[in-house]
Amino acid sequence: MKIGALAKATGTKVETVRYYEKIGLLPRAARTTANYRDYGSDHLARLSFIRRARDLGFTLKALSELLTLSDDKEQSCEAVDDIASRHLAKIDQKIDDLTTLRSELDRVISACQHGTVGDCKIIETLAPRPLS
Amino acid sequence: MKIGALAKATGTKVETVRYYEKIGLLPRAARTTANYRDYGSDHLARLSFIRRARDLGFTLKALSELLTLSDDKEQSCEAVDDIASRHLAKIDQKIDDLTTLRSELDRVISACQHGTVGDCKIIETLAPRPLS
DNA sequence: CTTGACCCTATAGTTACTACAGGGTGCATA
DNA sequence: TATGCACCCTGTAGTAACTATAGGGTCAAG
């Protein structure tokens, strides 16, 4: 299959597929006589893996670790579990941070009296008086 | 005050202060004879505003809009409220997304049997069988 | 008079793509 | 046969919001 078909099948943009190849995340494809990339089912599987992991928020770095690990079937699954668990912890942290931030922003907005900018509570809250 | 003092007072890195100046978010400071930047309380106030808004997750683009708006004190506060509210909606969306993602990742990790990579449920879940 | 903390500019690197510019290929249709 | 269109190619630059580095200058203390 050509790059457009692979892209469509995995919900990736064509440029992104070429980008993954460039950084070595996706192996080079064979080429047709017209120099078009020609992909097989192994590429499809690998790119699906990549997209799915990206959807779950794994970084490309974590991903390439996972891909390396997944190649050695005999190895203990511990390292894989570790990467995933650390990722989960990061997500929890992010949710916490965003929730805190949300309530604060909500508070700021609630104070809005819909007057002029001169009396704007939002700007006032954001701009604390200089300590001078 | 010199750049280091301003940075410290606002919890910013020196390089970031210079960066804000370069992109026009922070006005140019006066210079000493030694060509050092010399800041006053107006710079301090503005940088505090910037940092606080950044902490609340506003982009630099939204920020420069807010700063422009805040200069015209007679204007209606509506536009300010609008920017903040749209930002809040984005945060809510992000929290939702992360929460969904979290539960999915949690499910994936829970399936881990701590065996070898060959049986790893984490990798198995991430890599769906090619449609072939 | 030298050491160390601070300051300067300019440029490149980071993440994960995305968007050109400027060209080639392959198939269907007028 | 020509031509239009969708698709493919490479290479480079742009995005956000900094961070880091190289290669220098300044100033006060010991």
Side-chain angles (χ1 to χ4, degrees):
Chain A
M1 70 198 315
K2 280 183 283 180
I3 197 169
L6 179 71
K8 207 165 185 183
T10 55
T12 315
K13 294 204 175 179
V14 166
E15 292 88 351
T16 307
V17 177
R18 285 198 281 251
Y19 169 71
Y20 286 162
E21 177 185 304
K22 195 163 140 194
I23 62 170
L25 203 59
L26 199 61
R28 291 228 161 83
R31 297 295 180 120
T32 67
T33 46
N35 198 32
Y36 288 4
R37 286 171 182 82
D38 189 19
Y39 295 100
S41 63
D42 47 344
H43 281 99
L44 181 58
R46 189 162 177 121
L47 186 51
S48 301
F49 182 106
I50 292 170
R51 291 312 297 182
R52 177 121 178 78
R54 287 290 301 134
D55 283 348
L56 287 176
F58 286 95
T59 62
L60 292 186
K61 193 166 161 293
L63 240 165
S64 79
E65 281 179 63
L66 282 176
L67 283 166
T68 305
L69 290 170
S70 77
D71 282 342
D72 184 358
K73 301 293 182 205
E74 300 307 313
Q75 200 190 305
S76 152
C77 170
E78 206 181 313
V80 175
D81 190 37
D82 192 51
I83 291 175
S85 299
R86 262 185 292 136
H87 183 48
L88 183 63
K90 253 187 246 165
I91 289 171
D92 279 338
Q93 183 63 58
K94 231 182 226 174
I95 291 175
D96 280 0
D97 289 350
L98 280 175
T99 305
T100 303
L101 190 158
R102 194 215 177 279
S103 68
E104 198 167 353
L105 186 58
D106 197 36
R107 190 175 56 72
V108 170
I109 292 174
S110 306
C112 182
Q113 307 285 306
H114 306 289
T116 63
V117 165
D119 308 314
C120 182
K121 299 293 179 198
I122 295 176
I123 286 179
E124 210 171 284
T125 310
L126 289 175
R129 224 168 303 289
L131 311 176
S132 122
Chain B
M1 71 198 314
K2 279 185 282 178
I3 197 168
L6 179 70
K8 206 165 187 183
T10 54
T12 315
K13 294 203 176 181
V14 166
E15 291 87 353
T16 307
V17 177
R18 285 197 280 251
Y19 170 71
Y20 286 162
E21 176 184 304
K22 197 163 139 194
I23 62 170
L25 204 58
L26 201 61
R28 293 226 161 85
R31 297 295 182 121
T32 68
T33 46
N35 198 31
Y36 288 4
R37 287 171 182 82
D38 188 20
Y39 294 99
S41 64
D42 46 345
H43 281 101
L44 181 58
R46 189 163 178 119
L47 185 52
S48 301
F49 182 105
I50 293 170
R51 292 312 296 180
R52 179 122 178 75
R54 288 290 301 133
D55 282 348
L56 287 175
F58 286 93
T59 63
L60 292 186
K61 194 167 158 292
L63 240 164
S64 79
E65 282 181 62
L66 282 176
L67 283 166
T68 305
L69 289 172
S70 77
D71 283 343
D72 183 359
K73 298 297 180 204
E74 299 308 313
Q75 199 189 306
S76 153
C77 170
E78 207 180 312
V80 174
D81 188 38
D82 191 53
I83 292 174
S85 298
R86 261 185 292 137
H87 184 47
L88 182 63
K90 255 188 247 165
I91 290 172
D92 279 339
Q93 183 62 59
K94 231 182 224 170
I95 291 175
D96 279 1
D97 288 351
L98 280 175
T99 305
T100 303
L101 191 158
R102 194 213 176 280
S103 68
E104 198 168 354
L105 185 59
D106 195 37
R107 190 174 56 72
V108 170
I109 292 174
S110 305
C112 183
Q113 307 285 308
H114 305 290
T116 63
V117 167
D119 309 314
C120 183
K121 298 294 180 198
I122 295 176
I123 285 179
E124 211 172 284
T125 310
L126 288 176
R129 223 167 304 289
L131 312 176
S132 116

